Amino acid sequence: MSERKSIHGEWSSRLAFFFAATGSAVGLGNIWKFPYIAGDNGGGAFIIVYLACVVLIGLPILIAEVTLGRRGRESPVNTLRSLALDEGRSRAWVGVGFIGMVSGIIILSFYSVVAGWSLDYLLLSLRGAYAGASADRVSRLFAGLTGNPWRQMLWFTLFLAVSLWFSARGVRAGLERAARIMMPALFVLLLLLVAYALIVGNAADAFAYLFKPDFSRLNGQVLLVAMGHSFFTLSLGIGAMMVYGAYMPNGVSIFRVSVWVAAADTGIALLAGLAIFPLVFAKGLAPAQGPGLIFTTLPLAFGAMPLGSLFGAAFFALLVLAAWTSAVSMIEPTVAWLEERGVGRVRSTLAVGAVVWLLGMVMDFSFNIWSGVAWQGRSLFELFNFVSSDIMLPLGGFLIALFTGWMVSERSLRRELGVSRPLLRLWLLVLRYVTPVGVLLIFLNALGLIRGAL
Ligand code: TRP
């Protein structure tokens, strides 16, 4: 057990931690990103690789982050500093905390823009804007939004402002309360949407698509995306789960609750697939539409269904709720760090929010006035998304696995985790060898450095 105390307060119970951590994990990653990358990468085979990455790479790192956090009980930077000191290791490990803070801020900048689209679409749904619309009209609807920097700015600013409000209110009154209200609502909405999709949509094709693997579609790039997503969807690699662990009461089994969080996150991603693909297939639409799947293909499907505008509104409300409880976790490492340096919570949140907002404007403009700016065929938005999710998160996770597996003594870990020795050994084995080697191989392969191996 940790002898330290958090100056930021603690979650009020084990269930509160579960809600907050699941709230962080379940987000646009599950409902917007997972369906479209599964669609782009061939469905079932991608999903199997993704599940393997969650179990072999994601879950062990999730447990590691929460364990480090609860031992250190501070922001990731300061937690890593005190643990490195305890264990007689180099202070340079705090660098992992700093990289994480930067990644979190970058991710939130494009995340807010996508969440802003969802707010706009919530309104569009309620107005029946895509009811009975043609494919052409629906794509023009989306282009009209992304092409208008001010409309986009309005919505992403609104989304960000609400997230910052929850952050500013602190651990219990802000983060915990948001998750306690929003997560059950999200779950109910999702179940309703799945039931609706299975009734009015094409359930058979959706099941076949999601669960019948076509292995010929696998390659190094697919592996990289699946691994990157296993980090993204579990909120790993930036210290978000670490700082959530710092607020976890002593005596809660880290192992057990982490397994629950990973299971809930995966379950919700699959349910999101079942809410979306039956509708897509019912209209004979293509699943591989990239990031626009949710904003062009899906409205087209909803628009042609009975009560489509109503269920469409429920869908976009679901996205917004999921995004709020995730957004707060992306900046928590930085907010907590600033607070530990003596800046008040409200000011810390505002300072971080200002930086996110400025970067968010860059993301906003990347769709319109700066849409010509590209690097290696990627727009600024795609570049931010790729560099943060597919490079910085796995790198952060890799370093966290190495730190936990090789730098922290087994005794300290055992004291914190309180699990049986065989289980601890198994986890350490995975963390020391399987996770780092897996990340490395996938990286090298994607960079084309080990040719033909995969
Ligand atoms: N997991 C969230 C999602 O799937 C996104 C998220 C929240 C995140 N916190 C994070 C991603 C920290 C990476 C790092 O939408």
Side-chain angles (χ1 to χ4, degrees), residues 228-249:
H229 190 63
S230 74
F231 283 97
F232 189 88
T233 192
L234 291 176
S235 305
L236 300 176
I238 72 159
M241 288 299 186
M242 206 183 287
V243 77
Y244 275 31
Y247 310 151
M248 187 204 252

Side-chain angles (χ1 to χ4, degrees), residues 23-30 104 107 111 229 231-241 265 322-323 325-327 329-330 393:
S24 166
V26 172
L28 300 178
N30 303 61
I107 294 174
Y111 206 83
H229 190 63
F231 283 97
F232 189 88
T233 192
L234 291 176
S235 305
L236 300 176
I238 72 159
M241 288 299 186
D265 182 71
T325 52
S326 297
S329 74
M330 292 173 198
L393 299 184

Side-chain angles (χ1 to χ4, degrees), residues 5-12 73 171-172 243 246-248:
K5 255 187 96 64
S6 153
I7 63 159
H8 313 282
E10 279 185 8
W11 309 116
S12 57
R73 291 240 181 263
V171 175
R172 270 202 203 174
V243 77
Y247 310 151
M248 187 204 252

Side-chain angles (χ1 to χ4, degrees), residues 356-373:
V356 173
W357 188 82
L358 285 173
L359 288 172
M361 284 310 289
V362 176
M363 296 295 90
D364 177 348
F365 290 160
S366 79
F367 288 97
N368 34 70
I369 51 185
W370 293 343
S371 61
V373 184

Side-chain angles (χ1 to χ4, degrees), residues 4 14 38 132 174 187 330 377 387 399 436 454:
R4 298 186 171 96
R14 177 176 68 171
F187 194 62
M330 292 173 198
V387 171
L399 293 173
L454 293 165

Side-chain angles (χ1 to χ4, degrees), residues 349-406:
T349 310
L350 286 175
V352 179
V355 177
V356 173
W357 188 82
L358 285 173
L359 288 172
M361 284 310 289
V362 176
M363 296 295 90
D364 177 348
F365 290 160
S366 79
F367 288 97
N368 34 70
I369 51 185
W370 293 343
S371 61
V373 184
W375 192 72
Q376 297 210 330
R378 288 189 163 97
S379 70
L380 284 169
F381 179 87
E382 288 165 337
L383 208 60
F384 270 44
N385 191 348
F386 173 74
V387 171
S388 58
S389 321
D390 291 350
I391 297 181
M392 292 175 86
L393 299 184
L395 182 69
F398 175 78
L399 293 173
I400 290 168
L402 289 187
F403 182 77
T404 316
W406 296 98

Side-chain angles (χ1 to χ4, degrees), residues 56-124:
L56 288 176
I57 299 180
L59 181 61
I61 297 181
L62 174 60
I63 296 169
E65 282 206 25
V66 177
T67 306
L68 297 182
R70 197 169 70 179
R71 263 198 99 60
R73 291 240 181 263
E74 285 185 288
S75 64
V77 165
N78 287 324
T79 283
L80 287 164
R81 175 173 294 129
S82 34
L83 296 191
L85 206 70
D86 285 356
E87 307 285 338
R89 305 296 177 179
S90 160
R91 273 191 45 164
W93 285 102
V94 302
V96 178
F98 282 107
I99 300 175
M101 298 200 305
V102 175
S103 315
I105 287 171
I106 294 182
I107 294 174
L108 187 54
S109 71
F110 66 80
Y111 206 83
S112 303
V113 172
V114 178
W117 294 345
S118 312
L119 279 171
D120 190 294
Y121 269 68
L122 174 56
L123 200 73
L124 287 178

